[in-house]
Amino acid sequence: MKKTLQLTFILVLTVFAGMNIAQAQLPTTHAIGARFGSATGVTYRYSLNQTNAIEGILSVQSNSKYSRFRLVGLYEYHMPIANDFSWFWGFGGSVGSYAGKAYTDDKGNRFDKYSELALSVDGIAGVEYKIPSAPIALSLDIKPHFDFLQSSGFKIFDTFGFSVRYTF
């Protein structure tokens, strides 16, 4: 079910990527809020014009074996779907830290605490709904990234996010 939902989301974004629609989509200059998903954090978007924006995300991700802190910078393109509903895509990068926590596994093997630099190239694609009667925007996105240092891998499907932003 999860894979079907992910593939449907990617297909819908691909279809909308082929449409050439030119209308204003970013009526406010600033949007600040929270992003929830596999990593939780704060997001700030600054609109450069009606279709382009830059976004910064400060996120934290943690479990029993590791914690990760990232500062992500993205350049985004926003296109309309209908009225207050739009889609967006973009690219950028991130820098942060990746820290392994000290723990002992089920077999009695001890793993010591360590920390290293986190560096990646990031992409983003999603949809956003701006509530017409309130200064609130809701978005759902996927933010794949390629890590250079830790596991040096491309992460796609564990990077879904939901954001709630105050627009002004």
Side-chain angles (χ1 to χ4, degrees):
M1 175 67 180
K2 184 178 178 183
K3 231 179 198 194
T4 303
L5 181 61
Q6 292 167 346
L7 291 173
T8 303
F9 183 72
I10 291 170
L11 178 63
V12 168
L13 287 177
T14 303
V15 168
F16 286 119
M19 300 173 96
N20 186 10
I21 304 171
Q23 291 179 355
Q25 271 309 297
L26 295 168
T28 62
T29 305
H30 307 278
I32 188 166
R35 185 174 191 273
F36 306 96
S38 60
T40 302
V42 176
T43 174
Y44 172 75
R45 184 180 68 213
Y46 178 78
S47 301
L48 301 170
N49 55 43
Q50 294 179 334
T51 58
N52 300 351
I54 54 175
E55 181 175 0
I57 302 170
L58 181 63
S59 66
V60 177
Q61 184 178 17
S62 183
N63 64 24
S64 62
K65 295 183 182 177
Y66 72 90
S67 63
R68 182 178 185 141
F69 167 82
R70 289 173 44 145
L71 177 60
V72 182
L74 299 163
Y75 186 85
E76 299 173 346
Y77 299 92
H78 291 255
M79 299 294 194
I81 295 174
N83 295 331
D84 297 308
F85 195 57
S86 64
W87 73 279
F88 59 93
W89 66 276
F91 57 91
S94 71
V95 64
S97 68
Y98 181 88
K101 298 177 181 178
Y103 71 96
T104 303
D105 67 9
D106 296 340
K107 298 176 183 176
N109 298 321
R110 177 81 180 145
F111 295 90
D112 294 327
K113 180 179 178 180
Y114 67 94
S115 180
E116 54 187 59
L117 178 68
L119 187 64
S120 68
V121 173
D122 296 53
I124 192 165
V127 292
E128 181 172 272
Y129 177 69
K130 167 67 176 80
I131 300 173
S133 60
I136 303 293
L138 307 172
S139 67
L140 179 64
D141 64 64
I142 183 170
K143 198 176 74 48
H145 60 275
F146 180 81
D147 282 323
F148 286 106
L149 302 178
Q150 297 84 39
S151 57
S152 292
F154 192 61
K155 311 243 182 350
I156 298 176
F157 295 115
D158 66 342
T159 58
F160 282 95
F162 172 73
S163 297
V164 178
R165 294 186 186 97
Y166 172 74
T167 59
F168 57 102

